[in-house]
Amino acid sequence: MYGDHDKGPLLRVAIEVGFSEEHPGLRRDKDMWIKGRNAKVVILLCLRESPRFKNPEIAYDDIDDVNMELARMGQTVAKAGLRNLEQGAYGPMEYRNHRWFGKLEEAFIEIWRADRKRPSRTVLIENGRRKVHLPTTIGLKVGDFMSEAAWAAADIPDSDVRLDLGRYLQSLLIPVEATAVERFADFIVLS
């Protein structure tokens, strides 16, 4: 959000991330941001796990120390995550013969603009594999983040916002691992 002194806050860019919510739901959210809140740009980050997660059907009855079990599970998932990442994959994360996180099958970013009908799309992961050649921009401009008055006063060229998508994908391993551990923790605590 950007504040203009005369007009109050002006929403410039909104970000929606979908993991449990699929692409059609994110597109509805995008419409709410653009039509309902007058956002100029909406960034959709879509992530799809395959297969979708399911809890084991029977509770574990041999866990005496939950904290110790969580620590073991975390170490197992971290090792698997690094091994998968070396192969360009995000998942699966398995422990005790159960899949706690499938495979990040698809990840892409869409940039929607209020004045355009179609988005620009940048694919990061396709068919469970990280794209080898990632762009350095996704369609965002410096001017997207400023009001017209601030932009005129700044007197800087409207250039592309550069991103290190490779680094972003490396950091994505952290929430993938955390999701697997959290699912396991919820299951053993609630079982």
Side-chain angles (χ1 to χ4, degrees):
M1 200 172 305
Y2 185 86
D4 244 349
H5 295 291
D6 298 336
K7 299 177 185 174
L10 173 67
L11 182 63
R12 301 295 300 172
V13 177
I15 301 172
E16 282 282 335
V17 178
F19 178 68
S20 58
E21 183 177 25
E22 294 184 8
H23 189 245
L26 289 175
R27 288 184 61 172
R28 284 189 298 277
D29 293 345
K30 174 263 308 173
D31 291 338
M32 181 273 306
W33 284 112
I34 290 176
K35 295 174 185 171
R37 299 290 309 268
N38 296 318
K40 303 301 178 198
V41 176
V42 176
I43 303 167
L44 299 184
L45 174 56
C46 302
L47 307 167
R48 187 172 58 85
E49 174 188 11
S50 179
R52 293 191 62 93
F53 173 71
K54 292 181 183 175
N55 272 322
E57 294 183 10
I58 349 176
Y60 297 122
D61 58 1
D62 61 344
I63 296 176
D64 295 323
D65 185 343
V66 171
N67 291 328
M68 179 66 79
E69 195 68 28
L70 285 171
R72 278 190 206 118
M73 195 276 188
Q75 291 171 347
T76 302
V77 163
K79 286 178 187 173
L82 291 174
R83 189 171 49 250
N84 290 337
L85 196 58
E86 289 171 359
Q87 299 168 7
Y90 295 77
M93 303 287 176
E94 297 176 353
Y95 184 69
R96 285 184 161 242
N97 297 317
H98 188 76
R99 187 170 287 170
W100 295 98
F101 189 93
K103 189 178 205 180
L104 199 51
E105 188 67 26
E106 179 180 41
F108 61 88
I109 300 171
E110 287 182 344
I111 305 297
W112 289 84
R113 297 183 173 283
D115 59 353
R116 295 194 190 138
K117 298 275 187 211
R118 295 186 185 269
S120 63
R121 180 183 277 202
T122 304
V123 176
L124 306 173
I125 297 172
E126 187 173 50
N127 299 321
R129 294 271 178 230
R130 173 188 162 151
K131 298 291 274 187
V132 175
H133 301 289
L134 294 168
T136 57
T137 63
I138 59 172
L140 291 172
K141 299 279 193 180
V142 173
D144 291 334
F145 297 91
M146 304 172 80
S147 71
E148 297 298 322
W151 183 249
D155 193 33
I156 55 176
D158 192 13
S159 59
D160 290 323
V161 173
R162 300 183 69 72
L163 300 168
D164 185 344
L165 293 172
R167 185 177 221 173
Y168 168 72
L169 281 175
Q170 284 180 322
S171 69
L172 194 57
L173 183 60
I174 295 166
V176 165
E177 291 174 0
T179 299
V181 171
E182 186 175 309
R183 286 171 174 172
F184 178 69
D186 288 347
F187 181 73
I188 63 173
V189 169
L190 297 175
S191 296

